[in-house]
Structure formats: C-alpha cells, structure tokens
Amino acid sequence: QVQLVESGGGFVQAGGSLRLSCAASGRTFPDYIMGWFRQAPGKEREFVAAITWGGGGTLYADSAKGRFTISRDNAKNTVFLQMNSLKPEDTAVYYCAANSRRLGSDRTLYNYWGQGTQVTVSS
C-alpha cells in the first residue's frame, strides 16, 4: 500500500515556474513507477510525466517536453515535477500516481493516487 500527498501548487504568472512534490508512505517506494497527471475543469485527467524506479527512465507528454522535469529521491520517498515556462493552459489540478508494473502514460496502469494540488497560471 502506498499513500501519496502532493504539495507545491499555487498561483503563478505565465512564464513562471513551480516545483511540485509528492511524498509517499510505505517501505517499498523505490519499487514503484511514479507519474504525474493533471485535470483541468471540464476535461479528462491527462498524463504529464512518469519516472522509473531508479530514475533512469522517464516519459513525458508532448505538452511537457522541454518545460517540465520529473525526478525522484528514493531516500526521501519523494517525487518531484519541476515546471518551467508555465502557460495558462497548464492550469489544472495535478495528481501524483504510482504503479508497480511499467512505465506508461495510461492512467489505468496506476494503482495509487494522491488528492491533487491546484496549479493556476495567469496570462
């Protein structure tokens, strides 16, 4: 069992940066592939980025490539999402998720979810 708690969301102007964190409980955090998803009002939850157990493998949505960076610190049971050059269309609730199977963008892969943190980007 893994419990996830996101933090770091907030209000930022376009072009600014935010760093999201996701703290995980459970002794087996290094065994899980970690991902970030987001959901804007009236839209489906969409994939943003994911990272493998050791951090050597990453996957990004096209919208995140070149602007967002996912990383993890297994010693601290934490995964991060550094978001730069933010745009108003990045406004959404951002969710951390974990799965024990494989690196992927399909949300059905992910067994565990956090409660989300709001990111608002003004133009």
Side-chain angles (χ1 to χ4, degrees):
Q1 189 81 8
V2 176
Q3 293 183 330
L4 306 172
V5 179
E6 302 95 335
S7 61
F11 185 92
V12 64
Q13 290 187 333
S17 298
L18 281 175
R19 190 192 196 203
L20 305 183
S21 299
C22 173
S25 65
R27 295 178 296 170
T28 59
F29 174 75
D31 293 342
Y32 286 87
I33 293 164
M34 302 300 297
W36 286 96
F37 290 74
R38 67 187 183 185
Q39 188 166 16
K43 295 188 177 181
E44 292 191 353
R45 193 169 298 188
E46 64 176 9
F47 172 76
V48 177
I51 189 167
T52 55
W53 304 279
T58 56
L59 182 67
Y60 292 94
D62 287 344
S63 59
K65 288 178 182 176
R67 299 188 300 126
F68 295 1
T69 302
I70 189 171
S71 61
R72 66 191 294 164
D73 184 340
N74 288 341
K76 296 182 178 180
N77 284 6
T78 303
V79 63
F80 305 98
L81 185 68
Q82 176 68 43
M83 304 187 294
N84 299 328
S85 302
L86 283 162
K87 305 174 182 179
E89 51 264 44
D90 294 317
T91 295
V93 177
Y94 282 72
Y95 296 90
C96 176
N99 93 74
S100 57
R101 286 174 282 179
R102 61 178 175 85
L103 188 68
S105 61
D106 186 347
R107 64 187 182 201
T108 63
L109 279 174
Y110 293 80
N111 313 91
Y112 303 103
W113 294 84
Q115 83 291 346
T117 185
Q118 177 70 47
V119 171
T120 303
V121 185
S122 66
S123 58

